Amino acid sequence: MHPRPLPPEPSSLYSTPDPHSRTATPSPLPHVFATKNSSKHTMSPSQTPQHLYQGFPKTRDRLLLRDHRKTDPVIWCCAIICLIFSILIILFGITTLIIFLVVKPKTPVFDTNHASLNVIYFDLPGNFNGDFTFIANFTNPNRKLNVRFEYAVVELYFDSNLIANQSIKPFSQRERETGVVKIHFISSLVSLPLNHAMELRRQVLSNKVIYSVKGTFRVRVSFGLLHFSYWLHSQCELQMSSPPSGFLMARRCITKR
């Protein structure tokens, strides 16, 4: 008897397909089926992109397709005015810088070479009286600039105590001009702290009185049609001999802006 043939084994899911087999392998990609409504999105000749996006949400792409409004002429005028104003400021700054580099402005100088201490006395322990004459020299060292002292106040100090002050009338100086102003300080019943009054008495007895003169000025500089102003501060430390014929023994003056 011939043995009965065994039934064919069912194909395994993990078996390797026969390379000579012609059985079609299903594609892993899903089939794409066209819907009946796909024809609705077909652009007709009469339709525009704006009509196509009517059914879509408002996205950035749709907003970019909108027609932009024209800029208001008023905004253009304001922008042009700002541009012109900025250009003028830049040109003015460059012109000023060039003038400063060419002219090289210098600060006026406040100094002295003569002063006299006439009177110092106390009618009470703390009440000071004095008479002091100060010759101020104002010098304009610039070669191409005129200066004008529009405001000038000079103060007399002893050991940080204000004992007299004097204002000066406005005056002008041309290039490289030097002017002399006589300032007369009179102190009457000036109250001094007791320790400062005693120090002043000691200096008078030692024939060496230390005074300080401070000046505050507002200077205006002119160069053609250009003008600019600034504040000037000066200080002179003076060493005087004792009154009644006190004279200037030494000085140190500083002028700065």
Side-chain angles (χ1 to χ4, degrees):
M1 292 180 62
H2 297 284
R4 182 180 295 179
L6 296 175
E9 295 181 0
S11 59
S12 175
L13 294 175
Y14 299 97
S15 61
T16 303
D18 187 3
H20 300 287
S21 177
R22 295 183 179 181
T23 304
T25 303
S27 174
L29 298 176
H31 294 283
V32 178
F33 297 94
T35 61
K36 295 181 180 180
N37 296 330
S38 61
S39 61
K40 293 182 181 180
H41 299 290
T42 306
M43 182 184 295
S44 63
S46 60
Q47 287 180 325
T48 61
Q50 188 173 359
H51 290 104
L52 289 176
Y53 282 92
Q54 288 180 354
F56 289 85
K58 294 183 178 180
T59 60
R60 181 175 178 272
D61 296 334
R62 185 182 176 188
L63 293 175
L64 292 175
L65 293 175
R66 291 183 177 179
D67 296 333
H68 295 285
R69 293 182 179 179
K70 294 183 179 180
T71 306
D72 194 346
V74 177
I75 297 178
W76 280 109
C77 292
C78 293
I80 293 173
I81 292 173
C82 292
L83 178 61
I84 295 174
F85 186 70
S86 301
I87 293 174
L88 290 177
I89 291 177
I90 294 173
L91 292 177
F92 179 77
I94 294 174
T95 304
T96 304
L97 178 61
I98 292 173
I99 291 174
F100 268 77
L101 293 176
V102 173
V103 177
K104 297 180 180 179
K106 298 179 181 179
T107 303
V109 178
F110 175 81
D111 198 356
T112 184
N113 52 13
H114 180 75
S116 60
L117 182 55
N118 306 314
V119 174
I120 288 180
Y121 72 93
F122 294 87
D123 54 359
L124 290 175
N127 288 344
F128 164 77
N129 299 271
D131 189 319
F132 179 72
T133 303
F134 181 81
I135 305 299
N137 298 330
F138 293 89
T139 304
N140 176 18
N142 296 284
R143 295 183 178 182
K144 300 179 181 180
L145 295 176
N146 298 327
V147 298
R148 177 172 176 80
F149 290 82
E150 298 180 334
Y151 172 86
V153 172
V154 184
E155 299 171 329
L156 179 63
Y157 286 84
F158 173 75
D159 201 1
S160 73
N161 296 287
L162 178 63
I163 57 177
N165 63 345
Q166 192 69 258
S167 60
I168 303 174
K169 294 182 179 179
F171 63 95
S172 301
Q173 284 188 317
R174 297 182 178 180
E175 303 92 338
R176 302 182 67 84
E177 181 181 359
T178 300
V180 177
V181 179
K182 182 179 180 180
I183 305 173
H184 191 194
F185 293 105
I186 297 179
S187 304
S188 178
L189 299 178
V190 177
S191 179
L192 289 178
L194 185 58
N195 57 336
H196 292 175
M198 294 178 62
E199 174 63 21
L200 181 56
R201 291 175 183 269
R202 187 192 67 79
Q203 291 185 9
V204 171
L205 294 176
S206 63
N207 197 31
K208 187 175 68 175
V209 180
I210 306 299
Y211 273 175
S212 177
V213 175
K214 298 181 181 180
T216 303
F217 315 103
R218 182 170 178 81
V219 181
R220 183 181 182 185
V221 180
S222 302
F223 180 74
L225 299 177
L226 296 178
H227 306 276
F228 62 93
S229 300
Y230 57 87
W231 287 97
L232 193 66
H233 302 277
S234 302
Q235 181 173 351
C236 289
E237 298 294 334
L238 310 175
Q239 181 178 332
M240 306 294 301
S241 62
S242 298
S245 58
F247 59 91
L248 182 62
M249 301 171 61
R251 77 183 188 280
R252 184 175 66 91
C253 295
I254 300 175
T255 303
K256 61 182 180 179
R257 296 174 60 176

